[in-house]
Amino acid sequence: MDYSQFGAMLPELIILGLFLVVFLLDTFTKDGSAKRFLTPVTTVLFGLAAVAIWLIPSCGTEVFGGMYVDSAACKAIKAILCIGVFIVLLQSSEWVESDEVAIRKGEFYELLFVTLFGMFLMISARHFLLFVIGLESASLPLAAMVAFNKKHYQSHEAAFKYIITAVFSSAVLLVGLSFVYALSGGSLYFDDIRAAIAGSEMSGLLVVALAFVIAGIGFKLSLVPFHLWTADVYQGAPTAITSYLSVISKGSAAFAFFVIFVQAFGTVYSGLWEWMMYAVIILTITIGNLFAIRQKNMKRFMAFSSISQAGYIMLGVMTESALGLGSMMYYIFVYVVSNLAVFGVISAIENKTGKVGMDDYDGLHKSNPWLSFAMTLAMFSLAGIPPFAGFFSKFLIFTSVTASGSMPLYMLVLVALINTIISLYYYLLVVKAIWINPGEAKVEAFRSAFTERLALWLCVGGIVFFGLVPCIYDYCVNTAALL
Amino acid sequence: MDLNIFWYLVPSVIMFAAGVYGFITRKNMIAMLISLELILNSADLNFVVFNRYLFPGSMEGMIFTLFAIAIAAAETAIAISIIINIYREVGNSDVASVKQMRF
């Protein structure tokens, strides 16, 4: 066996190395003395790893018989996700150091790195075996992370709901893959599947297989009608895990979804999965929006908001082109900073006061003007108000969908546009609570920790500048062409 | 009588249907987990049967099944540990008792 093949999987090896370092530090240092430094050391090391993953070139090689591909697009999305994870680490450090969690902080970082490793495998996989292994090693440790608040009942309830739906969805996915295997001529490589189903006529088995695969991955992405776990899990999980689930897990699954649908099932696009995804996207955007309107808990509210955002991300899959993938990666990048800004504010307030209700934000600008400012910008960006990055990401993804010029896709964009207006209502409800609602501030003035402020500044910088700096979009589209 | 592929696929379909039915109707967490195992096993059976009858020259389905079994075991282990946590909190393993967060 040629061990130099492992050189192509540098991002995975870096994350794995980081996992081992944290594991050894956690195991062989004593409580109270050296363990104090675990959080800063891990955060700094991960920051260096993220820089390294940005800088290493991708050579576009296939290793392990073509199971794993090291392409420019895969590396770009990994680098984007690394920025997101770095921000999550900064935001979570305050919670990790709290009395209740500090004794288990090593486990938190270990589980986080294992899930990230699984997501990286999932992104680069070009064979369904590697894809399933990546998917499972991404979703199983997440269940343990959702249950991390051992003394809170809601955390366990959320974890139960998460693990049951995760196992059900992967079981359905495996059944679907077994049908795909029957049709593929005895191979699970994406390329072989594509060649095998292009030659054969449409069979009922293929329809069932595709429906099962969409259902299986739709659960991970919380597309409607597979979204029912999302709100409960987001509400019950610790806030750091919720932000990780809603951004990193969703971004990697969306990219893997695109790769599977274009590379393995690309030839049956117009015949089969175009209308399936069409219906799923319209349902996702609309139902996510309508349920978000009536939420009073901020974490639940963000759950439905992220369901509807997943629908927008999936618009990129409908284009089935490199332009669509580039717009999707750009959307994910902008979504990472906007969503993490919201969760940064939520977790800062929750860490200090334990309040997560939307009416606790009444008059927040009187006591905490900077947090109010960050939250307002993030809400504007999520809703898509012009000078901020969210507007450009929505604009570019709509442009890429209508680029092919087909009438049904224009209708799809119309529905998405109408839903953008609906979403403006509930995003601005939060802004209204902060700036307009009368009464004294319910959250007293406080100064958040240095790491939280740093994370928020990073997010706000991204929200303001990503839309105005065109080279980021160019980078996404150029790398997407090299899938 | 000749045993063709049909005789293996019918049990697999029955297992899948029973698993989905059980997952929806059972009121006990452990019973739900058992139903999930039925669905996973039906997928494994499918892979092995398709490999044996359709593509006897290769081993890809068999290898996939080995990995799928290991993954299913890991899933069960985590689910059981979470159910034990819930049992400590509420004193039973009834699905109806985990309904604090709704709508």
Side-chain angles (χ1 to χ4, degrees):
Chain A
M1 190 181 155
D2 179 15
Y3 286 101
S4 65
Q5 294 188 74
F6 283 102
M9 10 185 0
L10 263 182
E12 281 80 2
L13 291 184
I14 290 174
I15 299 297
L16 211 55
L18 210 55
F19 165 76
L20 286 176
V21 168
V22 174
F23 179 67
L24 292 177
L25 276 179
D26 182 37
T27 312
F28 293 109
T29 53
K30 288 204 174 63
D31 287 343
S33 59
K35 206 168 247 184
R36 251 193 348 266
F37 300 109
L38 188 63
T39 307
V41 164
T42 312
T43 313
V44 169
L45 280 182
F46 189 82
L48 294 177
V51 172
I53 290 174
W54 269 102
L55 292 182
I56 50 172
S58 64
C59 28
T61 48
E62 292 186 343
V63 291
F64 305 116
M67 271 188 166
Y68 177 96
V69 161
D70 168 37
S71 70
C74 296
K75 209 220 68 176
I77 190 81
K78 283 173 196 169
I80 290 173
L81 293 180
C82 270
I83 291 184
V85 175
F86 182 61
I87 297 176
V88 169
L89 284 182
L90 286 176
Q91 284 175 355
S92 64
S93 61
E94 196 65 11
W95 170 73
V96 163
E97 289 297 328
S98 65
D99 291 342
E100 191 187 324
V101 187
I103 194 165
R104 293 173 283 144
K105 62 186 169 191
E107 291 156 37
F108 171 75
Y109 292 122
E110 286 147 24
L111 290 170
L112 191 97
F113 290 143
V114 173
T115 55
L116 193 63
F117 174 76
M119 286 167 199
F120 280 10
L121 274 189
M122 188 165 96
I123 286 168
S124 278
R126 294 296 180 271
H127 183 281
F128 270 119
L129 178 56
L130 196 62
F131 171 75
V132 167
I133 293 173
L135 186 74
E136 295 305 330
S137 54
S139 65
L140 291 185
L142 265 175
M145 284 164 82
V146 170
F148 213 79
N149 264 352
K150 221 158 85 180
K151 292 183 180 131
H152 292 86
Y153 163 74
Q154 285 197 340
S155 190
H156 298 307
E157 182 176 330
F160 175 70
K161 286 169 176 169
Y162 180 77
I163 189 76
I164 285 287
T165 42
V167 177
F168 185 69
S169 68
S170 50
V172 168
L173 178 70
L174 284 180
V175 175
L177 289 184
S178 73
F179 295 151
V180 172
Y181 177 65
L183 294 163
S184 70
S187 166
L188 284 164
Y189 284 102
F190 291 178
D191 292 340
D192 293 345
I193 292 170
R194 176 200 185 83
I197 60 179
S200 62
E201 72 275 21
M202 296 295 162
S203 63
L205 195 59
L206 186 57
V207 179
V208 175
L210 258 177
F212 278 18
V213 172
I214 289 183
I217 308 175
F219 267 112
K220 308 283 175 202
L221 265 168
S222 62
L223 302 175
V224 178
F226 320 111
H227 68 292
L228 290 164
W229 59 276
T230 318
D232 291 354
V233 172
Y234 280 28
Q235 185 186 347
T239 309
I241 317 291
T242 310
S243 55
Y244 187 76
L245 258 177
S246 78
V247 176
I248 315 297
S249 169
K250 196 161 274 189
S252 61
F255 187 90
F257 203 96
F258 186 97
V259 172
I260 287 179
F261 274 77
V262 171
Q263 298 219 326
F265 302 112
T267 48
V268 290
Y269 168 67
S270 53
L272 271 183
W273 59 266
E274 187 185 20
W275 57 268
M276 291 187 193
M277 283 310 293
Y278 197 88
V280 165
I281 288 174
I282 288 182
L283 276 176
T284 306
I285 298 180
T286 315
I287 292 184
N289 270 342
L290 293 181
F291 275 85
I293 290 175
R294 59 190 294 274
Q295 299 307 324
K296 294 281 171 266
N297 179 304
M298 280 305 286
K299 281 157 85 177
R300 250 184 125 72
F301 167 83
M302 285 311 290
F304 283 106
S305 142
S306 81
I307 291 173
S308 127
Q309 298 280 347
Y312 289 105
I313 294 176
M314 280 297 102
L315 283 174
V317 176
M318 290 301 285
T319 63
E320 210 219 352
S321 64
L323 183 65
L325 181 65
S327 307
M328 193 169 105
M329 281 159 61
Y330 182 67
Y331 199 103
I332 292 173
F333 203 1
V334 171
Y335 177 68
V336 164
V337 286
S338 320
N339 227 28
L340 285 180
V342 178
F343 277 112
V345 178
I346 293 178
S347 70
I349 292 180
E350 195 191 5
N351 284 341
K352 289 284 180 207
T353 62
K355 290 175 178 169
V356 284
M358 200 188 283
D359 45 2
D360 295 325
Y361 286 63
D362 287 354
L364 185 70
H365 76 282
K366 289 172 193 154
S367 56
N368 294 291
W370 285 104
L371 285 183
S372 312
F373 173 69
M375 186 70 141
T376 310
L377 288 195
M379 285 297 166
F380 283 173
S381 177
L382 282 175
I385 290 178
F388 304 112
F391 166 74
F392 293 96
S393 62
K394 279 205 172 68
F395 174 73
L396 292 165
I397 209 158
F398 289 164
T399 317
S400 71
V401 174
T402 50
S404 66
S406 79
M407 199 56 207
L409 290 184
Y410 270 108
M411 297 305 292
L412 185 64
V413 169
L414 182 68
V415 174
L417 269 177
I418 294 171
N419 273 292
T420 311
I421 300 167
I422 300 175
S423 74
L424 207 55
Y425 169 70
Y426 62 80
Y427 285 130
L428 292 187
L429 272 185
V430 180
V431 179
K432 172 174 164 281
I434 292 176
W435 297 96
I436 300 177
N437 277 6
E440 279 309 298
K442 294 188 178 170
V443 177
E444 66 273 24
F446 64 86
R447 186 169 170 77
S448 42
F450 167 71
T451 48
E452 288 174 341
R453 271 181 287 142
L454 179 62
L456 273 177
W457 278 116
L458 283 177
C459 293
V460 168
I463 291 171
V464 173
F465 289 112
F466 281 1
L468 306 176
V469 183
C471 63
I472 295 174
Y473 179 69
D474 288 345
Y475 172 74
C476 291
V477 172
N478 291 338
T479 52
L482 306 167
L483 181 60
Chain B
M1 192 178 65
D2 187 30
L3 273 184
N4 56 17
I5 186 168
F6 180 75
W7 292 93
Y8 291 97
L9 288 182
V10 167
S12 154
V13 169
I14 292 174
M15 265 159 73
F16 177 75
V20 173
Y21 177 78
F23 181 69
I24 294 170
T25 54
R26 290 291 128 181
K27 298 278 185 284
N28 188 294
M29 292 176 185
I30 306 289
M32 284 173 82
L33 207 58
I34 294 171
S35 310
L36 287 176
E37 289 299 310
L38 276 181
I39 309 179
L40 282 164
N41 285 344
S42 108
D44 294 346
L45 190 58
N46 269 350
F47 267 109
V48 171
V49 170
F50 287 141
N51 194 344
R52 176 72 183 76
Y53 278 88
L54 300 181
F55 320 112
S58 70
M59 288 291 281
E60 207 148 345
M62 305 279 186
I63 304 289
F64 194 100
T65 307
L66 283 180
F67 278 93
I69 290 171
I71 288 169
E75 278 165 347
T76 316
I78 293 188
I80 290 278
S81 61
I82 288 171
I83 292 174
I84 289 173
N85 270 339
I86 289 186
Y87 184 84
R88 283 191 188 141
E89 292 276 338
V90 297
N92 60 47
S93 57
D94 224 5
V95 179
S97 55
V98 285
K99 55 181 183 185
Q100 195 173 333
M101 292 181 288
R102 280 190 294 179
F103 309 116

